[in-house]
Amino acid sequence: HSLYIQQQQQQQQLNIRKTSTMTSRRTKTMREQKSSSSDDNNNNNSMTDQKQTILTPLYRGVSMLHIGQISLALKKSGVTLGCLNVIGGPLMAVGLLFLLSNAAEQKHLAKDTFLRLNGLMVLYATLTLGLVALVPQLSSTYGLLYFVSGSSALFVAVKGYFAGLRAADDVTTFCVWF
């Protein structure tokens, strides 16, 4: 019976040693993970800043496409009530894209307002592409410009929305770590 008790005591001591070794390994690994994750956060913040800076010329380029669309509509039919109705959407898109390009330049895309404005641009571009699909007008220059401006606005707005979400996530993650 005493032999059995000695074996149990040895087993318990062995388990205690394993547990303390595993705990020290875990804490060392956790410290390494925390330091590498803070480095990752700094890298992610710089990557997000670069992506927001890259979006500025994209927003401005799409804005120029919409300005071309407005000028082509004015040239084609002059200043009439119908023309003003046609250029209302692209004019709104130019204003939104101007605001978004300034937000990307100042690295404010993570703010709630600019996320919503990017969402509005996605809706506008989807509606534009839907109208081009319903009324096949790709044979004319205006219809082709309408399609190109709508598809590029959709691409840039989705890219800006996700860049804003990524920046918002990096900001909250960064605040949690420090």
Side-chain angles (χ1 to χ4, degrees), residues 114-146:
F114 298 111
L115 288 174
R116 289 182 181 150
L117 287 179
N118 271 313
L120 279 174
M121 277 307 297
V122 168
L123 289 175
Y124 167 76
T126 305
L127 180 67
T128 300
L129 291 175
L131 288 175
V132 168
L134 289 176
V135 182
Q137 50 182 323
L138 293 178
S139 58
S140 70
T141 309
Y142 182 73
L144 189 61
L145 186 59
Y146 208 77

Side-chain angles (χ1 to χ4, degrees), residues 49-65:
D49 290 346
Q50 288 174 354
K51 288 184 180 188
Q52 286 186 21
T53 308
I54 289 171
L55 282 170
T56 302
L58 291 176
Y59 282 127
R60 290 184 180 155
V62 174
S63 180
M64 290 297 144
L65 282 173

Side-chain angles (χ1 to χ4, degrees), residues 73-111:
L74 285 172
K75 180 183 173 193
K76 188 174 183 179
S77 65
V79 182
T80 62
L81 187 58
C83 180
L84 293 177
N85 190 20
V86 168
I87 67 171
L91 193 60
M92 178 204 66
V94 168
L96 286 177
L97 289 166
F98 175 75
L99 291 172
L100 289 169
S101 69
N102 286 340
E105 192 173 34
Q106 301 296 324
K107 297 174 184 53
H108 293 304
L109 284 179
K111 293 189 177 178

Side-chain angles (χ1 to χ4, degrees), residues 13-29:
Q13 289 175 353
L14 184 62
N15 286 342
I16 290 172
R17 286 183 198 147
K18 283 183 182 178
T19 306
S20 65
T21 305
M22 287 173 54
T23 306
S24 67
R25 284 184 196 157
R26 280 188 203 140
T27 54
K28 182 179 177 184
T29 305

